[in-house]
Amino acid sequence: MAAVYSGISFKLKSKTTSWEDKLKLAHFAWISHQCFLPNKEQVLLDWARQSLVAFYKKKLELQEDIVERLWVYVDNILHSKKLQTLLKNGKTINLQLSLVKIINERIEEFSRSGCQRNICAILSCCQGILSAPALAVIYTAKPELTVALLSQLCWSACRQPEGAVTAKLFEVIHLALDHYLRLQQQQANPRRVFGDMTGHLFQPCLVLRHLLLGGTWTQASQGQLWQVLSRAIRNQIDAVLRGGVFRHDLLSSYKEELLEQYQENVKMGVLKSLLTPMEAVIARLVEPDYVKSDLRVLVVASSVPLLYRLFLESYLKEENQFLCFQVLPRLFGCLQISHLQEGQIEALSLPDWTTELLAIEQLLNSVATSNIYNVATDRIRHAETQFHFYRRVAELLINHSQASVPAWFRCLKILISLNHLILEPDLDDLLSSAWIDAEVTEFRAKKAQEVLINTVFQTYAKLRQVPQLFEEVLGVICRPAAEALRQPLLASGLSVPLSACLLELPLSQILDSWSLVLDKFQSLVMPCLQTDNDMALKAMSLSSLLHCIMFNMQSLDNNMPLPIIRRTQCIMERMLRELVRPLLGHLLDLWSPEPELWQQKVSDSALLLSYTWAQVDATLSLHCSQYYSLGISPARAALDSSNLPLLLPGVETEFWKKVEKCIGQSRSLSRYCLEQLYLQKVKRTLMESNSQSKEALQTLRFDTAHILDSSGDCLSQKTVAAWDMQVSTMNESVYPVAHWHLIVSNLTVLTPYLCLNDVRYVATVLLRTLPASKAQGSLAHGEPHVTLEKISTALLHSPLFPEMQSLYFAFLTCIIAECSSILCSGARSDLSLVSQQLPWLFGKDYHTVVAQWETKLAKVGPEGVEPRGEIAQNFLTMVKSGFPIKLDEEQLKGLLELLEVISALRLDSLSPSYHVHLFFLLFSMAVSELGQCSCPLVLQFLVKCYRLLSGLQRGKNGRCVFRVMYVSDIFEVVLTSLLQASAEFQVREDDAAWLQLLQVSGVFLEQLMQMLTQVKLSLVLNFGKITAFLSRYRKEASSKEWKSQNFQCRQLLLVALSKLCQSLGPCVKERRQLLEAPTELPEFLQQAMMQMGTMLKLCLVSGTTGRCLPPVLLATVPTLLEVDMSQHLRDGQPKIAQVVDTDQTLLSHGTLYQDVYTQLLEELPALSENAQSFQAALRFLTLFLLAPELHSKETSVFASVFYSVQKVLTGPCIPAPGTQDTELHLGALLTQMFETGTTEHFGMVLQSILQGLDVTQAWRSDLQVVLCAIRLLKLLLKCPLNGEKARLLWRSCPQIVTALMLQHREACQEQPVALVVIEPLLEVLAVLLRKGEESISNPHHVSLAFNILLTVPLEHLKPREFGSVFLKMHDVLFSILQCHSKVMLKAIPSFLSSFNRLLFSVMHEGRQKDKGSMDDLPVVLESARLVERMYSHLATRAEEFTTFSPFLVAQYVTEVQKVTLYPPVKNLLQEGIYLILDLCMERDIQFLRASLQSGARDVFKDLHSDYLKYHKAKHEGEKRYTA
């Protein structure tokens, strides 16, 4: 046959053979093993190549489809496994240059014209060539071909942004870049590489990188793979640019061009052969025609910071800092913004401004992070060259203000961080354009503005020049301007940094700033207030600034220098005399019935300064005895016959009446400040020694009532307004919020003096302003604003709220009234009849409610009968015949909202009357008919009712209810109501809401019966009635009607019976031991057990046909078994004794237990998905192990249970919500198994663990087996073991630790890293090390743990993953430190390396990021606390770690200089390193100062300075008081 096909090559070359036949023959020849051709692969490839070359050189005419099929044929050959195998085996296949040139030409044609003929196949051919090193040599042997290919590929991508060939094109670009990088590294001639880059690749690479960074192809290529490829290509382009344009062997050329040698060479005429690389780069970058002009601008803006960063990465060394700066002005000159003249702000659009400013920000960031600018060096050596450049940039930015662009603020922030003198000549313009006159509305711009202003204040605070800064601020505020267009001077974001700055300032500077504001106010504003709106607004701005200064200064104390105290006294007197009183005078003199804007602002300013002065005056007099308050004693003010006291010295009562009249209808800052003045008056009165006198109490009542009543009806309606708690932003819309905030935050002061009506009013407002749902009231971005809902919610959850009893009970009365109103609206009959049946729904106020129940409770003692029978009979009658209240869906929703509020209250300390009233209100809700409401809503409502009833009965007065109604009656009413309601439920047997109702109602019933047994309240009577009630249903159990009923009734009865057995069983056992058990109680228990057994069998038969065991059955059958066992144990015997009554009972229950046991073994893995059912199953198995009579003699119960547990642990993870409880139950089961099992059984478990941990399991990717072994080992280690079993475990310890190390190594090699194995492995290792403190004898086995710790992955993790891995790694390290200190001392380098990994990871995760939220900060803070704790433990071992303390400090300093940490993270880490510095001696400090590099040395200097200032001084101060 071979001979037949040997003529194929002739037919392929023959002109008579059609091209269709030629292609078929060529394809057949390639795939057929029967076709013999010498060097067949080369022959066929050459034929296809020659055909294509001939076609493209116009020597051959072919149809388009034939050409396309030829390309596809070449592509199939290049990608075939056959060719790959031949190449791998060493066979040589020659690709001719002609084919490669054709490919390059076609790609060039595609890039220029967009012609897509055959381009997919051509790109695929190119990919095939570049993918195989043996074929790619054709490109690498001729670098110019690679350069041409790469250039055209990049241009193709740039010019075809949305083509069908995108994915393939980028794969080829990725390969081509990879090959070119290798060529670049091998090339010895830097000029040639530089020429290739600037001549062919520079522009297309930059354009492509810009488009990739901008996400041009994101929509067309969704998915993570595309993101990875895009990032890889960008990184390759960076590497290509770095290796081509900024090679190390070009450094001399850059120096000659950029430094003074360049000018000298020009003068000397020796520039003939000099390469000017930066000039060439910039020329190519700004060349006009390589892309469209709008795109070119964007490319230049994104490329300038990139090129500068690459230059720094290549050449930045200490001796090259000035060279690195010299590049900056040249690259900056490429940006459009550098050519703007003053006043040309409209020359660029907003998007262009954003792009250019982002580029400048990145340039300046590179300067700041690389320490290029040294102020002293620049001034001494370079005649302030850098400073003048930065001044030019600053002038450019300030002259072209762009407050809507966040990057504009960030650029200014970096400049002032470099050197405050850069911006100081334009400080007034900076303050104006960036703060006072800036129109900033967008959130990110606001945040950037806040950071800039914070930096300005912090900088001038460090320079101790805050008064000079305030002088500039005041100058800008007082400039002529349209004040109405200005935003509030001190919104929350700007006042916070200012407040923090003021708190750190010495008092002398505060007083200087204070005086400056007073001077400006007096000289410029006061004379021009009348009829001038702008001046009135300036007065308001100055007042808010003065308020901020005075409220955030350090308070005086008795240790202050006397001149400072006297100066403060003088300024306070001057302010009152020259500013506050004149302003108040202006207010009355110039007021009109319809006030204009300027009058309102004068009023706001006057009262704000009055309140501020009064508050500061009170604070200073309280803290400093040498400061003499100018305020009149409140005791004397109380003696004034006027109702309005003197609020300020020298301002009479009549004056305040007039002020009150002027601002009577105002809802603005004036009204708020007046309320604050009255509040200050109340506090002053309370501080007087005679505050309880009749006159003082009268004044207090008047003042508190005035504060509450002054708002009028502003709280009558809800408002969604949010207030940032700054006085400067107060207006009419946020006044209700501010007023309510003032009342709520001072309730502890006000409440004792409010009358009953006012207390009710506050309670009513509180209830009305609570959010209807948890979703309401949330504010975007987490800003520190308050709303009515937030304030009320905070009060509701405050621990102080229950302490204000009058308000607390008034609020409870309001809720009860609302609930009663809704219930009455659902009455189905005449309200007069309902009021007789349910009188507690008609109590109108607190006193009525208390009086009714106190009268009723007083009629009987604890054992009284009369009221119990009456109320119980009424309830039973109403429940059976139809409850008189029927609720619809809307009423139900309203009650649910109120119940949510009640659940937030503390109900454990109510008075007896209130307790009983609330109980019967909730009880009435629970048994009401619920009409046609939706089933989920009804279930939610009933769950909430019974949960609240349970919580209420846990209170100290829970027994009072039993004076009104017997436990048995409550039991019967609850169960009857639930049985009737459940008949209407359309739910599944395993519905979560239904199961929750069963659980909550069961808890309530159990609680009732437990209280019954605790107080021994008519036990026989109550348990007899309960048993009789339940037995009526047992008699109906065999009837057809019962069997046809739904499963809900059976499950409710089963829960009730289980709770009865659970309560009655311990009671009978306890009394039997005391020989005082009534004969009736054991009988009741036997009846209950019989009934429960019958119900369980019924549920088992009806519920298990082809399905799992019902959750209710699983929850109740352990109870029956436990009670059964407890009743048949005698004198601590370990097994069930003979049954008291009949053998038949035990045998029938025994069969039930065995049936459940058999089914549980099969279903246990499936049950693990539900935490509650799984825990109940484990509890049953634990009890089953304690009853050997139930065990089968044919099979081993230990083995059966263990294999079932093993299946569970091999399956998916246990659900998170119940993990700890489930582990407890699993641990209890295994403990019981090991106690009852033999050593051979224990050995079987241990062998199973070792087999699961064998590294071959990881090689087979049998992950679940490994996880099962780890989980089982963890459970085993938590079991108490002794004797031979403990010895067997610790003999296996070396094998276990080695296996864990190998498993960890395999998990780390997985991609992505198998955290699902690493986390539990670390957890079990920590437990093993702690448990083995006395048992692990060989230190080598402990040292193996370091091999694990040094390779734990801590990078590229999500925040939650990082926190979990970090905690577990820390636990292992801490276990070694605490339990194996001798091993740790021998391996201190490994220990410190592991600890440093933790430290560095916290620094990396805790660094301040440019983008992203701070939601993940709590995880990092917790990790930082653990690091601090580890530092503290190391510090306690001074003897071992003193030698290593300087190295610990050096590691910390070296790493911390690389990042900017969030302040909370930095504070925690610093507290830890201070403890290590305590161990350092003076020679260690000198050693660190000498050995650290320059940047780290500066950081250490600051660290040591803070250590001496804050830490050491504090502790030395503490030592003075230590004996």
Side-chain angles (χ1 to χ4, degrees), residues 144 147 151 180 184 187 189-204 240 243-247 250 254 275-277 280-281 284:
E144 60 272 16
V147 171
S151 173
Y180 181 71
Q184 206 178 53
Q187 180 60 258
N189 186 345
R191 290 175 178 253
R192 178 170 181 177
V193 176
F194 184 83
D196 287 341
M197 274 302 305
T198 53
H200 303 284
L201 297 177
F202 185 73
Q203 291 173 342
V240 164
V245 181
F246 305 118
R247 289 171 67 100
L250 289 175
Y254 280 108
L275 180 67
T276 54
V281 167
R284 294 294 286 170

Side-chain angles (χ1 to χ4, degrees), residues 450 454 458 490-503 548 552 724 726 784:
E450 290 166 14
N454 185 18
Q458 292 295 336
L490 290 173
S492 61
L494 297 173
S495 65
V496 170
L498 175 57
S499 302
C501 167
L502 292 169
L503 286 169
C548 186
N552 293 286
D724 64 358
Q726 300 300 317

Side-chain angles (χ1 to χ4, degrees), residues 730-851:
M730 174 79 71
N731 55 44
E732 189 171 348
S733 65
V734 300
Y735 171 73
V737 183
H739 173 69
W740 184 234
H741 180 266
L742 182 144
I743 291 173
V744 169
S745 55
N746 293 282
L747 273 174
T748 51
V749 176
L750 301 176
T751 306
Y753 307 102
L754 291 176
C755 66
L756 185 59
N757 287 334
D758 284 343
V759 172
R760 287 174 183 163
Y761 169 73
V762 173
T764 306
V765 173
L766 173 59
L767 182 59
R768 187 170 59 242
T769 54
L770 285 169
S773 65
K774 293 180 181 178
Q776 287 188 3
S778 60
L779 284 161
H781 308 296
E783 290 190 1
H785 289 65
V786 292
T787 60
L788 291 178
E789 289 83 0
K790 277 188 172 184
I791 297 166
S792 298
T793 304
L795 174 58
L796 183 68
H797 293 94
S798 168
L800 294 176
F801 187 39
E803 304 301 324
M804 297 179 275
Q805 290 206 353
S806 60
L807 178 60
Y808 191 71
F809 285 114
F811 179 68
L812 198 53
T813 304
C814 288
I815 296 177
I816 289 173
E818 286 288 326
C819 294
S820 301
S821 174
I822 295 175
L823 286 173
C824 291
S825 68
R828 298 195 295 184
S829 57
D830 186 18
L831 282 179
S832 59
L833 179 60
V834 177
S835 67
Q836 295 174 6
Q837 295 171 320
L838 305 169
W840 47 84
L841 299 184
F842 294 85
K844 295 298 180 186
D845 57 34
Y846 171 70
H847 295 289
T848 308
V849 168
V850 170

